[in-house]
Each structure stands twice: as C-alpha cells, then as structure tokens.
Amino acid sequence: MKLNSEGRKGLFLISPTFAYALLLLAAPLILVIMFSFWTQDYLDLDTTPTLANYKEAWTDPLYRELMFRSLRISIMVTLVTVISAFPVAYYVSFRVKERKALWLFLITAPFWTSYLLRVFLWKVILGYNGVFNSALLWAGIIDEPLQFILYNVNAVVITLAHAWAPFAILPIFVALEKIDRSLLEAAEDLGDGPVRRFFRVTLPLAIPGVMAATLIVLIPTVGDFITPKLVGGTEGLMISNMIQVQFGKANNAPLGAALAVSSMFIVGGLSLLIFLGSRRVGRVAGE
Amino acid sequence: MAKGPKKLDWLRGYASIYMVFLYAPVILLPIFAFNNSTVIAFPLKGFTTEWFSSLMDNSALHDALGNSMIVAVSTAMISTLLGAFAARAGVRYRFPAKRGIMGLILLPLVLPEIIIAVSLLVLLMRLGMSLSLWTVIAGHVLVCVPFSIAVLNSAFAGLDQSLEEASFDLGETSWGTFKRVTFPLILPGVISSLLITFTISLDEFIIAFFLTGTDVTLPVYIWSQLRFPAKLPGVMALGTLLLLLSITLLIVAEFFRRRSAQRRGLDASTTEGLI
C-alpha cells in the first residue's frame, strides 16, 4: 500500500501507544489462549497442545455450574442496573435544565471512591446487624433481622448494580441528549400522548445508549471476583473466583486460562447477540 | 413543559431515592471512621479520632502508601504520554488501519480486568520475570491509556491548527512550536488526564492483586486487612482519607477540563471528554 505523508505521520505518532498495546495486551491475550491448550505438570509446563483443559472446564459439574451462575448473575445485574438507571438518565436529560453538569458529577463521584471499600460497606449495610436491618427493626417493620439479603445472589446483584450505576447512566444520558427535541413536539402535534410518544419516539432513539450501557455493564461483571467473595457467600461465588484460585492456590494456570477463555467466549457471543438484536429492534421501532 | 406536575414529581422522587442508594455506602464510611467501637454496626457508640491516630504509626500501611504513590505517579505520567500520542494521531491524521489500532488501544475499556491481569501474569511467567511494582505499573498503564485518550481527544480537537501553522511560518521549529504553542494550549487537558489516571491507579485492585510482588499497593493492603475484624475501624478511617483525596483530585481535574473547554469557547457543561 502506498502511504501518503499524512498516513505516515499518523502511524509514526501512534506507534509508541500501538506498540505498547501490542506487547502488553495483544501478545499476552494470545499467550493466554495458547496456555489454555497446554497442561501443568507440577512445576513444569507441558506444551503439547491438548483440549484436556477445555474438556474439564466444560464437563466438570462444578465449573459448569459456576459458569452458568456467573452468566445468570451478570445478566440479572445488567437488567437491574440498566432498568433502574434509565429513569435517572431521563430525568437529568429532560427535566434538569441548568445543573446538568452538577448532576453528572454527583452521579459519577461515588464511583471514584475505593471499590473495595464500597463493596465492603454493602456488607455492612446488608448484614445481620447491618444498617438496613437495624433501620427496619427500629421502624417496627420487622421483628427479627432479615437474613436473605447477605451472602447470596441478591447481595451480589445489589452491590454490582451500585458499582456500575454511572456506567449505565452516562451512555443512556448521552443518547437521550442527542434526541432532537422537535421530534417529540412533532409526535405531540400528531396526537401522540406522553406514553405513546415515549415508546414510539424517545425509547427507539435511546436504544444505542441502552445497548452501550448493557454491554458496558455485562462484560466486566462476569470478570468480577471481589463482590462475590465479599458479599456472595458460597452460593454467590462466580467463575472469576475459580479463575483466581487456579492461577493462585491450585497452581493450574492452563486450566485457569481455559476457564478465562471460555467465559470470554460466552460473554463475547452474548454481547454480539445483544448488539445484533438491538439493531433489529432499533430498526423495526424506527420504521 | 406543563405536562402535569404529578409525573415530574414521580421522576424527581425516583431520582432522589436513587441518589440516596448511590451515596449510602459512601456516607457510612466517615460515620464508622469516627465511631468509638471496634464493631462496624449500628447503633453508634461515641465520637473518637482514635482510628485516625492509629494510622499514624502503622509502618505496613506507610509502605503500602509509598508503593501506591510510586505506582500511581508513574502510571499517570506514562499513560498520559502514550494517551497524548494516540489522541493527537487520532484527531489530526488519517492513517491506514486507524479503526483497528484505536480499537486495540481502547480494548481494556470493555475487557474484564481479571482477563488483563491474568494474561499479563502469564506473559511474565513465560518470560521468567519476577513480579514487582513495575509489573503493576505496566498493567495500570493499559487500563489508564483509554481514559487519558478520552480526556486529551477533546483538548486536541479544540486546537486551532492555524496557530501551529502560524508558528511554523514565523520560523519556529517543530519542537519550538510544540513547546510554545501546542503544549500550553493542551495543558489543562494534560493536567486533567494526569489527575484522572492517578486516581484510577491509586484505587485499582484486581490487576494489582495479581501482579504485585512482595511490595503491596494500598488496595492490596486494604484487602488483606478486611479479614481481621479488629483492623476494620482503621480501614474505615483510611477509606475516609482516600475518599477526601479522590474527591479533591476530581474537582481539580474537572476544573482544568472545563478551562480547556472554555478555551475553545465550548459549553463547559457538556460531558464530552469525561468518560
């Protein structure tokens, strides 16, 4: 390919950053995939390619259970986060007139405090003697502390929905901001009520933002292992906890790599489905 | 819009409750940090600053803090430099495979951190390198560069090319133009990028957990303390101080970001650039 001087300059300028990403991101990712086809033999690594790790990862009931559970929890977290975030994004975009920047700052500020401590504090809030139970007891709503809110899937969902809230609100907000307000007036002039107008104009136009929010929340939550470990109890453990164990105590990096690659594969496939599905929905609704 | 005050109230009420949900854990942090009890639970006992003073003579904590400072400062400088190259190239030039290259650089934004951590760990194992603060920095730079690019994109996009051309016409060299024209104009963006990447690195746990050697960073230290109930009030006090530091840095970063937006005569209240 012939390069003009602009192309050369651009490539030259981006080369340090690109080289860094190639060496420390692309190369390691490829290596992990290779690792997943190798086997660990005590301290030595056997580099004959084999599918044994994948066989174990996909057939062992424990790993399968963890994989499906992670997927289920991540989907639940994503639904809860995106659905609960939408009205907030809508409020800031359509109702707040002058202090939008302040609202956005207030929404993002808690995200900048220590993630570990935020998760830990949810444990304090949801615990047996926790803030939530104490408040309900004090108010006389319950007679003894609720036990179904900590060390299970619910706690994981609440904590992660909190942790990823700004990542859901911001893309939806940006999509709503881009909506041409005159379209809404047009819908109104043509006789649509507020509800019809919302479902026929606002929501279809907000789909790109909703989709971005969905993917931004879904993908990283599969990889979280702090929240399951701190608030999930045994029934809330996820696949990442197992990946961590394989790379740590169990000293079986190839199996850990196979688990990591498998979960990325599943999440990647799911993301693609969501992406294609939402494009369809967006097109159909837009017609 | 006079669309019936009832709906407006409903939405506003929901948004307010949501904000309470968002701030619930953050507000508890200082409350327990000043609570005169070793148990992190209600009811509160009394007021004390004991937990803060206990932080003063904790040498493991001081070491972790020192390590985190080294990691965060190095990460901020390296990722802002790499981010500046990429942002400048992306804003100014068209070049082959631009989408692919930018896609790879921005990939850490959508990659679970555990994948980044594990793959770097595997690479280091293969190369036979031992884990140190530098390996943590290497991982942190990967996740921070996309944020730096986001901030610097708007700084470079607002740069009037004719100013640089004028400088060349007046006989300045490339370096002279960069030093006297370009750099001062993008400086607010650079400072904003440094502060944001510093804050991300200071708080990052998963990558640090996998790639840290014997020298632990602050979040890894906090993680080790969470297992001991007796250490928790001290952790609350530490968390409160970190919270104050993060908020201060972000307000400063936001100030510089707005100044850079104002220099281009844009509406400073837009979200462009920040996330």
Side-chain angles (χ1 to χ4, degrees), chain B residues 79-162:
Chain B
S79 49
T80 299
L81 188 66
L82 290 175
F85 282 129
R88 169 79 168 182
V91 168
R92 180 78 182 271
Y93 302 106
R94 273 178 305 171
F95 49 89
K98 184 172 175 178
R99 282 179 70 113
I101 293 174
M102 286 311 256
L104 177 68
I105 293 170
L106 297 178
L107 187 63
L109 280 181
V110 291
L111 218 51
E113 282 191 345
I114 191 169
I115 300 287
I116 296 173
V118 157
S119 55
L120 270 173
L121 182 66
V122 164
L123 180 77
L124 295 167
M125 275 162 59
R126 262 333 251 176
L127 296 176
M129 283 169 72
S130 56
L131 299 174
S132 67
L133 290 182
W134 282 105
T135 53
V136 179
I137 294 169
H140 280 185
V141 168
L142 271 183
V143 286
C144 285
V145 164
F147 286 94
S148 171
I149 292 176
V151 174
L152 289 170
N153 260 346
S154 57
F156 279 115
L159 199 62
D160 190 347
Q161 257 190 56
S162 56

Side-chain angles (χ1 to χ4, degrees), chain A residues 6 17 20 84 104 106 113, chain B residues 14 23 82 94 138 243 250 271:
Chain A
E6 189 190 328
T17 319
Y20 191 88
S84 66
L104 291 176
L106 288 177
T113 65
Chain B
Y14 177 80
Y23 277 85
L82 290 175
R94 273 178 305 171
L243 173 67
L250 282 169
T271 52

Side-chain angles (χ1 to χ4, degrees), chain B residues 166-177:
Chain B
S167 162
F168 283 125
D169 291 346
L170 291 169
E172 274 289 7
T173 57
S174 312
W175 172 243
T177 302

